[in-house]
């Protein structure tokens, strides 16, 4: 919100300089982001009148002007501006003047003609970027007057960084109310005079959805002069608020929006057919906006239409058939209140933001529609003439303003300051909040322009703002800090993160919001029952759903790094995913990772190679230890069909690992496929309690068992069966080789299994060792139909 300090001081003028005023606003929760002068410093520039213009004898593009600058004698000034004309009032920098940029004006000869000063453009004075000609001053400007005083250039342009809940401060009246409450200065609100009805024209209004449009106020004004200029004072205030002047009627609607906070729309009445209709868009309906953009409308977009066509997006932007033109003589003026829930998020989805939409989605004063319409009518009649018709106020169910109980005891509990009820009531009086005593408490009714006041804590915050945060004492809290339990059977997410960091991974944090297109690419055949949850008010149009997997964000991190020439990426994230479930929704905490590029950082010890499935699996085994990780061939829509596996711990499937699907490698424009994993975090946090085991002083006996089994039998199944048998003295069973080829029948493979045996009390004898090996072989033969390799 950008505004002129001079404009604000016409409504409330506290005895504070600009810096003190900005500090007061910031400390009251209205952060001042910038405070800049309306014009850079310059001196010696006055209002002058050009009395005569003659051609320069030595240059075709120069002119010699005779100027009255209020000095008592006519000045001869050489000027090159094409718009210099007799009778025109312009800025004149006298000899000795200092202009922005360090330019000093002195008497000089220009192509043989002496010039006693300089006539200035807006750019030369730093007021505007226009350098096409001299700055034309108002006809009533006083010749010889200091230009800074004449144009009120000693003004400060203040920009506020408002929080979304303070929509009431998106107007000068709202800001003036705040300043009056903060400083105690009297408030002088803009006039709210009812304009005399001198015309009879009116247009019917039909609201088909009263929930979306609780109030629609309108009026027809006939016989306006479309060529009438906007008053200079109004153009100045608009320009200093960051809005360019367009035409008188449009400027007035913008002015009233800035002054009162109520967006207005003016329609050319001759372009309207029949009644005005407020409705939601129909299937396959289109609208051409004022900016020329063609929209294919969705069913949840609220429209203002006539009986033949849509006119504009309600509360956001008008259409091509709703604008004011040079031939407009009859204006249909609208001031409506749109339900914020209907407007919220639509601008982001459509890809543009309007001043009206910015206000309506936060909430405007639903009680101020008639006042804003009367104010705009008053200004239009004063500038453009015309005849005002009667006001039509179609009003449905407006938002309720339920009283809220504010307890002084609760105020003291939250703020740490014991304020009596009378002091709290005085603060509410300054905020113009209606209140009634109820026992020791106050029943406070929020006004129609304060949508941020709904619960008791909201009013406590208002008390804190006006009482002053600096006035709240900082009292050290006295409390006992207890050591939190750290059971050995549980490990934290931070402990798991440290394992990956130690293995050369880097943690990232990505948005929980992702694009529906990315989710659809990762899960192309997902049923509607498992579709991602849509965001009602997305922060950006491409972040419209909640993520169901961490993979989308990790792939985007990879793309960002590749765009910056990072050729080796190993990133992981711990975060929640958001899933639809039968009873409602679930938010499991997961850990996911992505590895891309070289398996090892650049070094000379071994040749470079790309990271593969087994590199990442090794890191996962280290991550889950002391638990045992198992992988089995599986399928996942986002992974390569032959290079994907499910991950399980303690016979419970907890996630997946694999190489990105070739389809997605092409879609995301990656040079080659990364390896990804994603695991549920909760099963990894529970670990067995450490137990002491005796260390044997006797030697370990090693035997190798080579068995031949069918190709379809998983090697892990064989190893698990041997380990589960718990053969006496067998400490470990591990696979160390798989052979296929010469010497084996087709469809068979050989598994080489390492067997380690040891006893803590005595040395094992050969018969005991042979018996153990025979028992292991028997398990392979009986359970898997295998045989000893010859």
């Amino acid at each position: 919100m950008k505004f002129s300090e001079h404009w604000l001081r016409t409504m409330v003028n506290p005895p504070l300089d600009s810096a003190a005023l900005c500090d007061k606003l910031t400390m009251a929760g209205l952060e001042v982001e910038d405070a800049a002068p309306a014009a850079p410093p310059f001196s010696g520039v006055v209002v002058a009148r050009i009395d005569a213009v003659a051609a320069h004898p030595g240059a075709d593009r120069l002119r010699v002007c005779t100027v009255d600058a209020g000095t008592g004698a006519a000045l001869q000034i050489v000027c090159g501006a094409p718009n210099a004309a007799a009778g025109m009032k312009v800025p004149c920098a006298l000899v000795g003047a200092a202009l922005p940029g360090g330019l000093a004006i002195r008497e000089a000869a220009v192509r043989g003609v002496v010039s006693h000063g300089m006539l200035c453009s807006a750019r030369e004075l730093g007021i505007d970027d226009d350098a096409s000609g001299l700055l034309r001053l108002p006809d009533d400007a006083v010749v010889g007057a200091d230009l800074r005083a004449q144009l009120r250039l000693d003004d400060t342009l203040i920009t506020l960084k408002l929080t979304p809940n303070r929509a009431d401060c998106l107007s000068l009246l709202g800001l003036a109310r705040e300043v009056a409450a903060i400083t105690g200065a009297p408030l002088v609100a803009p006039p709210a005079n009812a304009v005399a009805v001198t015309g009879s024209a009116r247009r019917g209004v039909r609201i088909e959805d009263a929930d979306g449009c609780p109030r629609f106020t309108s009026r027809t004004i006939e016989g306006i002069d479309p060529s009438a200029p906007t008053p200079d004072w109004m153009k100045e205030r608009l320009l200093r608020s960051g809005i360019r002047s367009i035409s008188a009627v449009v400027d007035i609607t913008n002015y009233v929006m800035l002054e009162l906070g109520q967006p207005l729309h003016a329609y050319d009445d001759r372009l309207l057919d029949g009644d005005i209709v407020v409705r939601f868009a129909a299937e396959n309906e289109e609208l051409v906006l004022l900016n020329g953009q063609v929209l294919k409308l969705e069913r949840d977009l609220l429209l203002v239409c006539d009986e033949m066509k849509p006119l504009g997006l309600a509360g956001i932007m008008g259409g091509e058939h709703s604008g004011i033109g040079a031939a407009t003589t009859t204006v249909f003026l609208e001031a409506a209140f749109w339900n914020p829930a209907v407007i919220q998020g639509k601008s982001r989805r459509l890809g543009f933001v309007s001043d009206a939409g910015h206000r309506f989605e936060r909430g405007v004063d639903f009680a101020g529609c008639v006042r804003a319409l009367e104010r705009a009518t008053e200004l239009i009649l004063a500038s453009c003439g015309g005849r005002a018709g009667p006001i039509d106020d179609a009003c449905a169910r407006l938002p309720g303003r339920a009283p809220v109980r504010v307890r002084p005891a609760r105020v003291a509990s939250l703020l740490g300051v014991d304020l009596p009820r009378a002091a709290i009531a005085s603060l509410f009086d300054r905020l113009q909040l209606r209140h009634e005593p109820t026992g020791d408490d106050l029943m406070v009714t929020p006004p129609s322009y304060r949508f941020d006041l709904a619960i008791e804590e909201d009013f406590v915050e208002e008390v804190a703002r006006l009482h002053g945060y600096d006035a709240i004492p900082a009292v050290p809290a006295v409390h006992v800090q207890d050591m939190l339990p750290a059971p050995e059977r549980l490990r934290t997410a931070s402990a798991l993160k440290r394992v990956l960091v130690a293995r050369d991974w880097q943690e990232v944090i990505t948005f929980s919001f992702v694009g529906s297109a990315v989710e659809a690419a990762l899960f192309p055949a997902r049923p509607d029952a498992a579709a991602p949850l849509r965001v009602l008010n997305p922060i950006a149009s491409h972040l419209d759903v909640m993520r169901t997997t961490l993979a989308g964000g990790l792939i985007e991190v990879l793309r960002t790094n590749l765009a910056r020439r990072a050729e080796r990426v190993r990133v992981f994230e711990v975060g929640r995913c958001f899933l639809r479930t039968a009873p409602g929704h679930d938010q499991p905490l997961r850990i996911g990772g992505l590895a891309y590029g070289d398996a090892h950082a650049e070094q000379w010890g071994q040749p470079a190679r790309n990271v593969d499935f087994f590199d990442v699996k090794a890191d996962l085994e280290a991550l889950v230890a002391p638990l045992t990780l198992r992988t089995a061939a599986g399928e996942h829509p986002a992974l390569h069909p032959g290079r994907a596996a499910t991950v399980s711990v303690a016979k419970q499937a907890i996630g997946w690992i694999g190489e990105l699907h070739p389809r997605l490698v092409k879609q995301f424009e990656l040079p080659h496929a990364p390896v990804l994993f994603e695991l549920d975090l909760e099963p990894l946090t529970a670990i067995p309690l450490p137990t002491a085991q005796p260390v044997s002083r006797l030697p370990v006996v090693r035997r190798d068992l080579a068995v031949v089994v069918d190709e379809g039998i998983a090697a892990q199944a064989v190893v698990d069966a041997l380990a589960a048998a718990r053969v006496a003295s067998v400490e470990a069973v591990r696979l160390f080789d798989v052979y296929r080829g010469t010497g084996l029948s087709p469809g068979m493979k050989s598994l080489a299994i390492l067997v380690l045996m040891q006893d803590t009390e005595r040395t094992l004898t050969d018969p005991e060792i042979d018996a153990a090996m025979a028992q292991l072989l028997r398990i392979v033969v009986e359970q898997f139909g295998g045989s000893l390799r010859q």
Side-chain angles (χ1 to χ4, degrees):
M1 174 66 182
K2 182 180 179 181
F3 62 93
S4 159
E5 184 185 347
H6 278 179
W7 188 4
L8 177 65
R9 287 185 183 273
T10 63
M11 301 183 194
V12 59
N13 190 14
L16 302 171
D17 60 17
S18 299
L21 176 62
C22 291
D23 181 68
K24 287 283 188 183
L25 289 171
T26 298
M27 293 308 298
L30 307 178
E31 181 184 353
V32 175
E33 188 174 30
D34 186 36
F42 61 80
S43 62
V45 182
V46 299
V47 177
R49 183 183 63 247
I50 300 176
D51 291 334
V53 179
H56 192 288
D60 295 337
R61 296 187 179 183
L62 297 179
R63 300 179 180 183
V64 179
C65 301
T66 302
V67 176
D68 179 6
T71 59
L75 302 177
Q76 176 180 273
I77 299 177
V78 177
C79 174
N83 65 334
M88 181 179 180
K89 290 185 177 179
V90 296
C92 176
L94 302 175
V95 173
L99 298 186
L103 178 62
I105 303 302
R106 55 186 178 83
E107 185 177 299
V110 181
R111 295 288 185 93
V113 176
V114 177
S115 180
H116 301 278
M118 174 181 170
L119 304 183
C120 304
S121 67
R123 178 185 288 181
E124 289 164 334
L125 297 174
I127 299 174
D128 197 359
D129 292 332
D130 185 11
S132 59
L134 299 177
L135 174 61
R136 181 183 291 274
L137 299 178
D139 293 337
D140 58 356
V142 179
V143 172
D146 182 76
L147 186 71
R148 298 193 71 90
Q150 181 70 44
L151 299 183
R152 296 175 293 279
L153 297 180
D154 292 321
D155 189 7
T156 301
L157 307 185
I158 300 174
T159 302
L160 298 182
K161 188 177 182 180
L162 294 174
T163 52
N165 63 316
R166 293 309 306 269
D168 60 300
C169 291
L170 289 170
S171 68
L172 267 295
L173 176 59
L175 289 172
R177 277 193 296 249
E178 279 293 302
V179 173
I182 295 167
T183 64
L187 174 66
V188 182
N193 304 321
V195 174
V197 175
T198 56
S200 59
R202 64 196 312 170
R203 188 172 293 277
V205 175
R206 187 169 73 251
I207 300 176
E208 295 186 357
D209 193 288
D211 291 334
C213 179
R215 189 170 195 177
F216 192 100
T217 309
S218 60
R219 157 179 272 164
T220 302
I221 304 176
E222 303 174 277
I224 69 167
D225 179 6
S227 63
T230 303
D232 290 326
W233 61 268
M234 185 181 295
K235 283 199 277 190
E236 173 192 292
R237 290 179 175 180
L238 290 173
L239 181 63
R240 294 183 184 179
S241 299
I243 297 179
R244 63 184 179 89
S245 175
I246 298 175
S247 66
V249 174
V250 176
D251 289 350
I252 288 169
T253 59
N254 286 332
Y255 179 82
V256 173
M257 177 185 70
L258 292 175
E259 184 180 67
L260 302 180
Q262 171 67 53
L264 302 163
H265 194 80
Y267 301 83
D268 189 335
D269 190 72
R270 64 193 174 93
L271 301 179
L272 305 180
D273 297 307
D275 291 346
I276 295 297
V277 182
V278 178
R279 60 173 174 82
F280 280 99
E283 193 74 35
N284 299 322
E285 198 167 13
E286 291 188 351
L287 173 66
V288 181
L289 297 177
L290 282 172
N291 61 8
Q293 182 178 349
V294 180
L295 289 183
K296 290 186 178 180
L297 302 175
E298 299 181 35
R299 297 296 298 271
D300 63 341
L301 291 175
L302 192 62
L303 303 177
V304 178
C305 313
D306 60 22
E307 294 182 343
M308 300 298 294
K309 58 189 178 295
L311 300 174
L313 290 173
I316 299 177
M317 184 177 287
E320 65 174 348
H321 299 295
S322 67
I324 297 296
T328 302
T329 57
T330 301
V331 170
F332 178 76
L333 203 58
E334 161 216 311
F337 171 72
W338 309 104
N339 189 333
V342 175
I343 307 299
Q344 286 168 355
K346 302 301 188 298
S347 293
R348 294 189 188 92
R349 187 205 304 174
L350 298 172
F352 59 81
V353 177
S354 65
D355 289 328
H358 183 74
R359 286 164 171 79
F360 279 124
E361 68 180 0
R362 288 160 171 78
V364 301
D365 183 5
F366 55 81
C369 295
V370 173
R371 176 180 182 173
L373 203 64
E374 293 281 18
R375 177 64 168 154
T377 303
E378 178 185 20
L379 294 172
I380 290 174
L381 297 182
S383 300
C384 308
R387 303 178 303 278
I391 288 180
D392 292 309
D393 188 13
C395 192
R397 186 173 61 254
L398 294 173
R401 300 280 85 187
V404 177
R405 181 183 294 272
V406 178
R407 298 164 292 171
R410 181 61 172 163
V411 174
S413 172
L414 291 176
L415 301 185
V417 178
D418 192 6
L419 296 175
R421 191 184 71 176
I424 297 174
S426 175
L427 297 178
F428 288 157
D429 288 335
R430 287 162 56 183
L431 286 166
Q432 301 182 19
L433 301 179
R434 290 191 295 111
H435 56 83
E436 296 290 340
T438 304
D440 294 333
D441 306 332
L442 293 170
M443 294 298 294
V444 190
T445 302
S448 57
Y449 50 83
R450 290 296 298 272
F451 283 82
D452 60 315
L453 301 180
I455 60 176
E456 184 178 17
E457 286 72 14
D458 295 331
F459 292 92
V460 175
E461 182 183 2
E462 295 301 292
V463 172
R465 290 194 314 113
L466 261 67
H467 178 70
Y469 296 114
D470 291 341
I472 299 176
V475 180
V478 179
H479 62 279
V480 177
Q481 292 184 336
D482 295 326
M483 187 79 90
L484 297 177
E488 288 186 272
R489 292 182 181 273
L490 294 176
R491 55 182 169 183
T492 64
S494 296
L496 294 169
K497 292 178 184 179
R498 287 194 291 270
V499 174
L500 287 179
V501 170
R503 297 182 69 87
D504 201 22
W505 292 73
Q506 292 180 307
E507 184 182 7
V508 298
I509 299 175
T510 65
F511 277 125
S512 297
F513 312 128
V514 296
S516 54
V518 173
E519 284 282 329
L522 295 173
F523 301 96
R526 178 161 47 191
D528 292 341
L533 302 168
R534 299 198 69 85
V535 180
L536 295 180
N537 188 20
I539 59 175
S541 59
H542 66 285
L543 300 175
D544 57 337
V545 297
M546 303 298 291
R547 66 186 178 193
T548 62
T549 174
L550 302 176
L554 295 173
I555 292 173
E556 189 58 36
V557 170
L558 172 61
R559 296 183 64 199
T560 301
N561 278 270
L562 291 177
R564 288 155 180 79
R565 300 183 181 278
E567 299 177 354
R568 184 174 184 267
V569 177
R570 294 165 69 88
V571 292
F572 74 94
E573 178 176 12
V574 174
R576 294 197 178 275
C577 296
F578 303 86
L579 312 176
R580 294 182 188 270
T581 58
H585 307 101
D586 192 17
Q587 301 179 29
L589 190 61
R590 293 178 174 172
I591 182 167
L594 178 148
Y596 177 91
D598 290 343
H600 304 284
E602 187 174 359
Q603 41 76 45
W604 63 90
Q606 52 187 317
R609 62 173 180 84
N610 284 335
V611 66
D612 60 22
F613 176 96
F614 297 101
D615 293 317
V616 178
K617 180 182 177 182
D619 289 335
L620 292 188
E621 289 175 340
L623 175 68
V624 305
L627 304 176
T628 302
L629 177 140
R630 294 284 184 264
T631 58
E635 294 183 355
H636 189 284
L639 301 181
H640 193 294
R643 301 174 186 175
T646 58
V647 178
S648 59
V649 170
K651 298 182 180 180
Q652 175 189 356
I654 64 168
W656 48 263
I657 178 177
E659 195 175 283
L660 190 65
H661 198 290
R663 166 181 58 85
L664 297 175
V665 173
K666 181 178 180 181
Q667 180 170 338
F668 290 115
E669 300 177 338
L670 303 176
H672 57 84
V675 179
L676 299 99
F677 73 86
E678 184 169 304
L679 309 177
D680 289 330
L681 193 69
E682 185 177 358
L684 305 181
T685 58
I687 55 177
L689 191 66
T691 56
Q693 297 289 341
V695 178
S696 177
R697 292 178 294 178
L698 302 174
V700 175
V701 177
R702 169 177 175 153
R703 291 290 187 269
D704 293 343
L705 179 64
V707 294
V708 178
V709 296
D710 188 87
E711 182 67 55
I713 296 174
Q716 188 65 55
V718 176
V719 174
D720 288 345
L722 296 178
R726 297 185 178 276
V727 176
S729 302
V730 174
E731 293 289 326
V733 178
R734 291 199 292 266
L735 178 73
F736 68 89
D737 189 27
V738 178
Y739 172 76
R740 300 175 180 88
T742 306
L744 297 178
S745 301
M748 306 298 285
K749 62 183 176 183
S750 173
L751 305 179
I753 300 172
L754 167 69
V755 181
L756 298 179
M757 289 178 280
Q758 188 180 43
D759 193 291
T760 59
E761 301 294 336
R762 60 187 178 84
T763 302
L764 296 174
T765 64
D766 287 341
E768 290 173 329
I769 295 172
D770 293 341
M773 294 299 293
Q775 187 177 349
L776 294 175
L777 178 60
R778 188 163 53 250
I779 293 171
V780 175
V781 173
E782 293 176 355
Q783 295 188 21
F784 302 100
S787 62
L788 186 66
R789 182 179 175 186
Q790 302 300 323

